[in-house]
Amino acid sequence: MHGLILRTFQVFVLDTYGDTAWDAIISRADLPVPAFEAMLTYPVEIYEGLIGAAEQALDKPRDVFLEDVGTYLVSHPHSEGLRRLLRFGGVDYIDFLHSLDDLPDRARLAVGDLFLPDLELHEVGPGSFHLEVGEGLSGFASVMIGVLRAMADDYGALVLLDAEPGARLVDITLIETAYAEGREFDLAARGQS
């Protein structure tokens, strides 16, 4: 398991719930380390133990916790780099959806040894899509629901997302592409003055 994934969960919990929640999770999971290094590799059992402990410590179903992680990845100021990477997928939400097939490869360009499950988008009708999430990372479809929901807000689109708990198929219904004003996005990243 890539340490970047585990570190993401750690930072999400710390930013969202605080040190006490993280301490409770690492205690319940009986983790060998209290913190993760983003560029190291860990046994996959640590990932499963971490998610299970978070479910218990936060009293949240697994899929809800993972969806919250996905939302965090796009909407939190600490994740602006990932948001920018995703926004390069297109000028509107439909373009973004069609760029999802390339997301695992784009992630690997940024972090060479990070392997995300394959994503395959199927257009099943006007404004109706299925996102098929490949195997390889348990719960990744739930993370993607959070990402899809946050990116819809980012673009100002109104969408309905649905998936069965634990499923690898996400139903996406695009109701309106310009429902609200999206977040500002500029191709050129600007430094703080």
CSV table of all heavy atoms in Angstrom, one decimal, residues 19-64:
chain,number,residue,atom,x,y,z
A,19,ASP,N,-6.6,15.7,16.7
A,19,ASP,CA,-5.6,14.7,17.2
A,19,ASP,C,-6.3,13.6,18.0
A,19,ASP,O,-5.8,12.4,18.0
A,19,ASP,CB,-4.6,15.4,18.1
A,19,ASP,CG,-3.7,16.4,17.3
A,19,ASP,OD1,-3.5,16.2,16.1
A,19,ASP,OD2,-3.2,17.3,18.0
A,20,THR,N,-7.3,13.9,18.8
A,20,THR,CA,-7.9,12.9,19.7
A,20,THR,C,-8.5,11.8,18.8
A,20,THR,O,-8.4,10.6,19.2
A,20,THR,CB,-9.0,13.5,20.6
A,20,THR,OG1,-8.4,14.6,21.3
A,20,THR,CG2,-9.6,12.5,21.5
A,21,ALA,N,-9.2,12.1,17.7
A,21,ALA,CA,-9.8,11.1,16.9
A,21,ALA,C,-8.7,10.3,16.2
A,21,ALA,O,-8.8,9.1,16.1
A,21,ALA,CB,-10.6,11.8,15.8
A,22,TRP,N,-7.6,10.9,15.7
A,22,TRP,CA,-6.5,10.2,15.1
A,22,TRP,C,-5.9,9.2,16.1
A,22,TRP,O,-5.6,8.0,15.8
A,22,TRP,CB,-5.5,11.1,14.5
A,22,TRP,CG,-4.3,10.3,13.9
A,22,TRP,CD1,-3.0,10.2,14.4
A,22,TRP,CD2,-4.4,9.4,12.8
A,22,TRP,NE1,-2.3,9.4,13.6
A,22,TRP,CE2,-3.1,8.9,12.6
A,22,TRP,CE3,-5.4,9.1,11.9
A,22,TRP,CZ2,-2.8,8.0,11.6
A,22,TRP,CZ3,-5.1,8.2,10.9
A,22,TRP,CH2,-3.9,7.7,10.7
A,23,ASP,N,-5.7,9.7,17.4
A,23,ASP,CA,-5.1,8.8,18.4
A,23,ASP,C,-6.1,7.6,18.7
A,23,ASP,O,-5.6,6.5,18.8
A,23,ASP,CB,-4.9,9.6,19.7
A,23,ASP,CG,-3.8,10.6,19.6
A,23,ASP,OD1,-3.0,10.5,18.6
A,23,ASP,OD2,-3.7,11.5,20.4
A,24,ALA,N,-7.4,7.8,18.7
A,24,ALA,CA,-8.3,6.7,18.9
A,24,ALA,C,-8.3,5.7,17.7
A,24,ALA,O,-8.3,4.5,17.9
A,24,ALA,CB,-9.7,7.3,19.0
A,25,ILE,N,-8.1,6.2,16.5
A,25,ILE,CA,-8.0,5.3,15.3
A,25,ILE,C,-6.8,4.5,15.4
A,25,ILE,O,-6.8,3.3,15.2
A,25,ILE,CB,-8.1,6.2,14.0
A,25,ILE,CG1,-9.6,6.7,13.9
A,25,ILE,CG2,-7.8,5.3,12.8
A,25,ILE,CD1,-9.7,7.8,12.8
A,26,ILE,N,-5.6,5.1,15.6
A,26,ILE,CA,-4.4,4.3,15.6
A,26,ILE,C,-4.3,3.3,16.8
A,26,ILE,O,-3.8,2.3,16.6
A,26,ILE,CB,-3.1,5.2,15.6
A,26,ILE,CG1,-3.0,6.1,16.8
A,26,ILE,CG2,-3.0,6.0,14.3
A,26,ILE,CD1,-1.7,6.9,16.8
A,27,SER,N,-5.0,3.7,17.8
A,27,SER,CA,-5.1,2.8,19.0
A,27,SER,C,-6.0,1.6,18.6
A,27,SER,O,-5.6,0.4,18.8
A,27,SER,CB,-5.6,3.5,20.2
A,27,SER,OG,-5.8,2.6,21.2
A,28,ARG,N,-7.1,1.8,18.0
A,28,ARG,CA,-8.0,0.7,17.6
A,28,ARG,C,-7.4,-0.2,16.6
A,28,ARG,O,-7.7,-1.4,16.5
A,28,ARG,CB,-9.4,1.3,17.1
A,28,ARG,CG,-10.3,1.8,18.2
A,28,ARG,CD,-11.6,2.3,17.5
A,28,ARG,NE,-12.5,2.9,18.5
A,28,ARG,CZ,-13.4,2.2,19.1
A,28,ARG,NH1,-13.7,1.0,18.8
A,28,ARG,NH2,-14.2,2.9,19.9
A,29,ALA,N,-6.7,0.5,15.6
A,29,ALA,CA,-6.1,-0.3,14.5
A,29,ALA,C,-4.8,-1.0,14.9
A,29,ALA,O,-4.3,-1.8,14.2
A,29,ALA,CB,-5.8,0.6,13.3
A,30,ASP,N,-4.3,-0.7,16.1
A,30,ASP,CA,-3.1,-1.3,16.6
A,30,ASP,C,-2.0,-1.1,15.5
A,30,ASP,O,-1.3,-2.1,15.2
A,30,ASP,CB,-3.3,-2.7,17.0
A,30,ASP,CG,-2.1,-3.3,17.8
A,30,ASP,OD1,-1.5,-2.5,18.5
A,30,ASP,OD2,-1.9,-4.5,17.8
A,31,LEU,N,-1.8,0.1,15.1
A,31,LEU,CA,-0.9,0.4,14.0
A,31,LEU,C,0.6,0.4,14.6
A,31,LEU,O,0.8,0.8,15.7
A,31,LEU,CB,-1.1,1.8,13.4
A,31,LEU,CG,-2.5,1.9,12.7
A,31,LEU,CD1,-2.7,3.4,12.2
A,31,LEU,CD2,-2.6,0.9,11.5
A,32,PRO,N,1.5,-0.1,13.7
A,32,PRO,CA,2.9,-0.2,14.2
A,32,PRO,C,3.6,1.2,14.3
A,32,PRO,O,4.6,1.4,14.9
A,32,PRO,CB,3.6,-1.0,13.1
A,32,PRO,CG,2.7,-0.9,11.9
A,32,PRO,CD,1.3,-0.7,12.4
A,33,VAL,N,3.0,2.2,13.6
A,33,VAL,CA,3.5,3.6,13.6
A,33,VAL,C,2.4,4.6,13.8
A,33,VAL,O,1.2,4.3,13.4
A,33,VAL,CB,4.2,3.9,12.2
A,33,VAL,CG1,5.5,3.1,12.1
A,33,VAL,CG2,3.3,3.7,11.1
A,34,PRO,N,2.6,5.7,14.5
A,34,PRO,CA,1.6,6.7,14.7
A,34,PRO,C,1.3,7.6,13.6
A,34,PRO,O,0.4,8.4,13.6
A,34,PRO,CB,2.1,7.4,16.0
A,34,PRO,CG,3.5,7.3,15.9
A,34,PRO,CD,3.8,6.0,15.2
A,35,ALA,N,2.2,7.6,12.6
A,35,ALA,CA,2.1,8.5,11.4
A,35,ALA,C,2.7,7.8,10.2
A,35,ALA,O,3.5,6.9,10.3
A,35,ALA,CB,2.8,9.8,11.7
A,36,PHE,N,2.2,8.2,9.0
A,36,PHE,CA,2.7,7.6,7.8
A,36,PHE,C,3.5,8.5,7.0
A,36,PHE,O,3.3,9.7,6.9
A,36,PHE,CB,1.5,7.1,6.9
A,36,PHE,CG,0.6,6.1,7.6
A,36,PHE,CD1,-0.6,6.4,8.2
A,36,PHE,CD2,1.0,4.8,7.7
A,36,PHE,CE1,-1.4,5.5,8.8
A,36,PHE,CE2,0.3,3.8,8.3
A,36,PHE,CZ,-0.9,4.2,8.9
A,37,GLU,N,4.5,8.0,6.3
A,37,GLU,CA,5.4,8.7,5.4
A,37,GLU,C,4.8,8.5,4.0
A,37,GLU,O,4.6,7.4,3.6
A,37,GLU,CB,6.8,8.2,5.5
A,37,GLU,CG,7.5,8.5,6.8
A,37,GLU,CD,7.7,10.0,7.1
A,37,GLU,OE1,7.9,10.7,6.1
A,37,GLU,OE2,7.6,10.4,8.3
A,38,ALA,N,4.6,9.6,3.3
A,38,ALA,CA,4.0,9.6,2.0
A,38,ALA,C,4.7,8.7,0.9
A,38,ALA,O,4.1,8.2,0.1
A,38,ALA,CB,3.8,11.0,1.5
A,39,MET,N,6.0,8.6,1.0
A,39,MET,CA,6.7,7.9,-0.1
A,39,MET,C,7.2,6.5,0.3
A,39,MET,O,7.9,5.9,-0.4
A,39,MET,CB,7.9,8.8,-0.5
A,39,MET,CG,7.5,10.2,-1.0
A,39,MET,SD,6.2,10.2,-2.2
A,39,MET,CE,7.0,9.5,-3.7
A,40,LEU,N,6.7,6.0,1.4
A,40,LEU,CA,7.1,4.6,1.8
A,40,LEU,C,5.9,3.7,1.4
A,40,LEU,O,4.8,4.1,1.1
A,40,LEU,CB,7.3,4.5,3.3
A,40,LEU,CG,8.5,5.3,3.9
A,40,LEU,CD1,8.6,5.1,5.4
A,40,LEU,CD2,9.8,4.8,3.2
A,41,THR,N,6.2,2.4,1.5
A,41,THR,CA,5.2,1.4,1.2
A,41,THR,C,4.9,0.6,2.5
A,41,THR,O,5.8,0.3,3.2
A,41,THR,CB,5.7,0.4,0.1
A,41,THR,OG1,6.0,1.2,-1.1
A,41,THR,CG2,4.6,-0.6,-0.3
A,42,TYR,N,3.6,0.3,2.7
A,42,TYR,CA,3.1,-0.4,3.9
A,42,TYR,C,2.3,-1.6,3.5
A,42,TYR,O,1.8,-1.6,2.4
A,42,TYR,CB,2.3,0.6,4.7
A,42,TYR,CG,3.0,1.8,5.2
A,42,TYR,CD1,3.0,3.0,4.4
A,42,TYR,CD2,3.6,1.8,6.5
A,42,TYR,CE1,3.7,4.1,4.9
A,42,TYR,CE2,4.3,2.9,6.9
A,42,TYR,CZ,4.3,4.1,6.2
A,42,TYR,OH,5.0,5.2,6.6
A,43,PRO,N,2.2,-2.6,4.4
A,43,PRO,CA,1.4,-3.7,4.1
A,43,PRO,C,-0.1,-3.3,3.9
A,43,PRO,O,-0.6,-2.4,4.6
A,43,PRO,CB,1.5,-4.6,5.3
A,43,PRO,CG,2.8,-4.1,6.0
A,43,PRO,CD,2.9,-2.7,5.6
A,44,VAL,N,-0.8,-3.9,3.0
A,44,VAL,CA,-2.2,-3.6,2.6
A,44,VAL,C,-3.1,-3.8,3.9
A,44,VAL,O,-4.1,-3.1,4.0
A,44,VAL,CB,-2.7,-4.4,1.4
A,44,VAL,CG1,-2.9,-5.8,1.7
A,44,VAL,CG2,-4.0,-3.7,0.9
A,45,GLU,N,-2.7,-4.7,4.8
A,45,GLU,CA,-3.5,-4.9,6.0
A,45,GLU,C,-3.7,-3.6,6.8
A,45,GLU,O,-4.6,-3.5,7.5
A,45,GLU,CB,-2.9,-6.0,6.8
A,45,GLU,CG,-2.9,-7.4,6.2
A,45,GLU,CD,-1.7,-7.6,5.2
A,45,GLU,OE1,-0.7,-6.9,5.3
A,45,GLU,OE2,-1.9,-8.5,4.3
A,46,ILE,N,-2.7,-2.8,6.8
A,46,ILE,CA,-2.7,-1.5,7.5
A,46,ILE,C,-3.9,-0.7,7.0
A,46,ILE,O,-4.6,-0.1,7.8
A,46,ILE,CB,-1.4,-0.8,7.5
A,46,ILE,CG1,-0.3,-1.6,8.3
A,46,ILE,CG2,-1.5,0.7,8.0
A,46,ILE,CD1,1.0,-0.9,8.3
A,47,TYR,N,-4.0,-0.6,5.7
A,47,TYR,CA,-5.1,0.2,5.1
A,47,TYR,C,-6.5,-0.3,5.6
A,47,TYR,O,-7.3,0.4,6.0
A,47,TYR,CB,-5.0,0.0,3.5
A,47,TYR,CG,-6.2,0.6,2.8
A,47,TYR,CD1,-6.3,2.0,2.6
A,47,TYR,CD2,-7.2,-0.2,2.3
A,47,TYR,CE1,-7.4,2.5,1.9
A,47,TYR,CE2,-8.3,0.3,1.6
A,47,TYR,CZ,-8.4,1.6,1.4
A,47,TYR,OH,-9.5,2.2,0.7
A,48,GLU,N,-6.7,-1.7,5.5
A,48,GLU,CA,-8.0,-2.2,5.9
A,48,GLU,C,-8.2,-2.0,7.4
A,48,GLU,O,-9.3,-1.6,7.9
A,48,GLU,CB,-8.0,-3.7,5.6
A,48,GLU,CG,-8.1,-4.0,4.1
A,48,GLU,CD,-9.3,-3.4,3.5
A,48,GLU,OE1,-10.4,-3.3,4.1
A,48,GLU,OE2,-9.3,-3.2,2.3
A,49,GLY,N,-7.1,-2.1,8.2
A,49,GLY,CA,-7.2,-1.9,9.7
A,49,GLY,C,-7.6,-0.4,10.0
A,49,GLY,O,-8.4,-0.1,10.9
A,50,LEU,N,-6.9,0.5,9.2
A,50,LEU,CA,-7.2,1.9,9.4
A,50,LEU,C,-8.6,2.3,9.1
A,50,LEU,O,-9.2,3.0,9.9
A,50,LEU,CB,-6.2,2.7,8.5
A,50,LEU,CG,-6.3,4.2,8.5
A,50,LEU,CD1,-5.9,4.8,9.8
A,50,LEU,CD2,-5.4,4.8,7.4
A,51,ILE,N,-9.1,1.8,8.0
A,51,ILE,CA,-10.5,2.1,7.6
A,51,ILE,C,-11.5,1.5,8.6
A,51,ILE,O,-12.4,2.2,9.0
A,51,ILE,CB,-10.8,1.6,6.2
A,51,ILE,CG1,-9.9,2.2,5.2
A,51,ILE,CG2,-12.3,1.9,5.8
A,51,ILE,CD1,-9.8,3.7,5.1
A,52,GLY,N,-11.3,0.3,9.0
A,52,GLY,CA,-12.1,-0.3,10.0
A,52,GLY,C,-12.1,0.4,11.4
A,52,GLY,O,-13.2,0.6,12.0
A,53,ALA,N,-10.9,0.8,11.8
A,53,ALA,CA,-10.8,1.6,13.0
A,53,ALA,C,-11.5,2.9,12.9
A,53,ALA,O,-12.1,3.4,13.9
A,53,ALA,CB,-9.3,1.7,13.4
A,54,ALA,N,-11.4,3.6,11.8
A,54,ALA,CA,-12.0,4.9,11.6
A,54,ALA,C,-13.5,4.8,11.6
A,54,ALA,O,-14.2,5.6,12.2
A,54,ALA,CB,-11.6,5.5,10.3
A,55,GLU,N,-14.0,3.7,11.0
A,55,GLU,CA,-15.4,3.4,11.0
A,55,GLU,C,-16.0,3.3,12.5
A,55,GLU,O,-17.0,3.9,12.8
A,55,GLU,CB,-15.7,2.1,10.3
A,55,GLU,CG,-17.1,1.8,10.1
A,55,GLU,CD,-17.3,0.5,9.2
A,55,GLU,OE1,-16.3,-0.2,9.0
A,55,GLU,OE2,-18.4,0.3,8.7
A,56,GLN,N,-15.2,2.6,13.3
A,56,GLN,CA,-15.6,2.5,14.7
A,56,GLN,C,-15.4,3.7,15.5
A,56,GLN,O,-16.3,4.2,16.3
A,56,GLN,CB,-14.9,1.3,15.4
A,56,GLN,CG,-15.2,0.0,14.8
A,56,GLN,CD,-14.3,-1.1,15.4
A,56,GLN,OE1,-13.3,-0.9,15.9
A,56,GLN,NE2,-14.7,-2.4,15.2
A,57,ALA,N,-14.2,4.3,15.4
A,57,ALA,CA,-13.9,5.5,16.3
A,57,ALA,C,-14.8,6.7,15.9
A,57,ALA,O,-15.1,7.5,16.8
A,57,ALA,CB,-12.4,5.8,16.1
A,58,LEU,N,-15.1,6.9,14.7
A,58,LEU,CA,-15.9,8.0,14.2
A,58,LEU,C,-17.4,7.7,14.2
A,58,LEU,O,-18.2,8.6,13.9
A,58,LEU,CB,-15.4,8.5,12.9
A,58,LEU,CG,-13.9,8.9,12.8
A,58,LEU,CD1,-13.5,9.3,11.4
A,58,LEU,CD2,-13.6,10.1,13.8
A,59,ASP,N,-17.7,6.5,14.4
A,59,ASP,CA,-19.1,6.0,14.3
A,59,ASP,C,-19.7,6.4,12.9
A,59,ASP,O,-20.8,7.0,12.9
A,59,ASP,CB,-19.9,6.6,15.4
A,59,ASP,CG,-21.3,5.9,15.6
A,59,ASP,OD1,-21.4,4.7,15.2
A,59,ASP,OD2,-22.2,6.5,16.1
A,60,LYS,N,-19.0,6.1,11.9
A,60,LYS,CA,-19.4,6.4,10.5
A,60,LYS,C,-19.3,5.1,9.7
A,60,LYS,O,-18.3,4.4,9.8
A,60,LYS,CB,-18.5,7.4,9.9
A,60,LYS,CG,-18.9,8.8,10.2
A,60,LYS,CD,-18.1,9.8,9.2
A,60,LYS,CE,-18.8,11.1,9.3
A,60,LYS,NZ,-18.4,12.0,8.3
A,61,PRO,N,-20.3,4.9,8.8
A,61,PRO,CA,-20.1,3.7,7.9
A,61,PRO,C,-18.9,3.9,7.0
A,61,PRO,O,-18.6,5.0,6.6
A,61,PRO,CB,-21.4,3.7,7.1
A,61,PRO,CG,-22.4,4.5,7.9
A,61,PRO,CD,-21.6,5.5,8.7
A,62,ARG,N,-18.3,2.8,6.7
A,62,ARG,CA,-17.1,2.8,5.8
A,62,ARG,C,-17.3,3.7,4.6
A,62,ARG,O,-16.4,4.5,4.2
A,62,ARG,CB,-16.8,1.4,5.5
A,62,ARG,CG,-15.7,1.2,4.5
A,62,ARG,CD,-15.6,-0.3,4.1
A,62,ARG,NE,-14.5,-0.5,3.2
A,62,ARG,CZ,-13.3,-1.0,3.6
A,62,ARG,NH1,-13.1,-1.3,4.8
A,62,ARG,NH2,-12.4,-1.2,2.7
A,63,ASP,N,-18.4,3.5,3.8
A,63,ASP,CA,-18.6,4.2,2.6
A,63,ASP,C,-18.7,5.7,2.8
A,63,ASP,O,-18.3,6.5,2.0
A,63,ASP,CB,-19.8,3.6,1.8
A,63,ASP,CG,-19.6,2.2,1.3
A,63,ASP,OD1,-18.4,1.9,0.9
A,63,ASP,OD2,-20.5,1.5,1.2
A,64,VAL,N,-19.4,6.1,3.9
A,64,VAL,CA,-19.5,7.5,4.2
A,64,VAL,C,-18.2,8.1,4.5
A,64,VAL,O,-17.8,9.2,4.1
A,64,VAL,CB,-20.5,7.7,5.3
A,64,VAL,CG1,-20.6,9.2,5.8
A,64,VAL,CG2,-21.9,7.2,4.9
